[in-house]
Amino acid sequence: MVEVKTPKDFFENILPQRFKPDKAKGVDVIVNVDISGNNGGEWIVIIKNQALKIEEGLHSSPSLSLKISEKDYLDVINGKLSGEKAFFTGKLKLKGNINQALRLKDAGLF
């Protein structure tokens, strides 16, 4: 697996390849991902009908919001830190349905 260097690279190049439509059956979610840091940014990830759509920015009414630092996010997507551990240690702030977040993990989002 190629190590992801920036969140932008992940959202533009890696996530579309890593996304697993078969694991997204029944998932209908709008996720705001807010990443702080020099290479951070804001992304909207929409999963509906087993399809993935990614946009820059923040949605006005997401079903799930994630806030995390660039370093911690890269550690999570590169497999150095589990999403669960990031959440339980306060590195990942989550608003919304935690079960949806777990489904997103299965679908390849982190």
Side-chain angles (χ1 to χ4, degrees):
M1 185 165 75
V2 177
E3 182 160 317
V4 179
K5 302 287 188 211
T6 68
K8 186 175 177 70
D9 181 44
F10 178 73
F11 286 104
E12 290 183 357
N13 304 310
I14 310 295
L15 181 56
Q17 295 170 19
R18 191 185 279 187
F19 179 67
K20 300 178 184 102
D22 56 310
K23 299 281 188 188
K25 194 172 264 186
V27 176
D28 183 356
V29 67
I30 298 169
V31 185
N32 278 347
V33 183
D34 184 354
I35 301 172
S36 61
N38 291 340
N39 293 305
E42 299 167 335
W43 287 270
I44 304 165
V45 178
I46 301 167
I47 300 175
K48 188 172 183 162
N49 300 324
Q50 294 178 267
L52 173 72
K53 183 177 174 191
I54 302 165
E55 301 172 0
E56 286 197 46
L58 292 176
H59 195 275
S60 59
S61 55
S63 37
L64 195 61
S65 294
L66 307 175
K67 275 185 105 124
I68 191 167
S69 75
E70 173 189 357
K71 180 199 176 304
D72 293 332
Y73 190 71
L74 290 173
D75 283 350
V76 169
I77 59 178
N78 286 316
K80 298 175 183 171
L81 173 68
S82 75
E84 294 87 347
K85 186 168 185 182
F87 175 73
F88 287 115
T89 56
K91 293 178 177 183
L92 170 63
K93 308 258 186 299
L94 184 70
K95 269 191 201 159
N97 185 326
I98 192 134
N99 289 329
Q100 279 186 323
L102 294 171
R103 297 278 312 272
L104 294 176
K105 182 181 178 195
D106 291 342
L109 184 62
F110 55 91

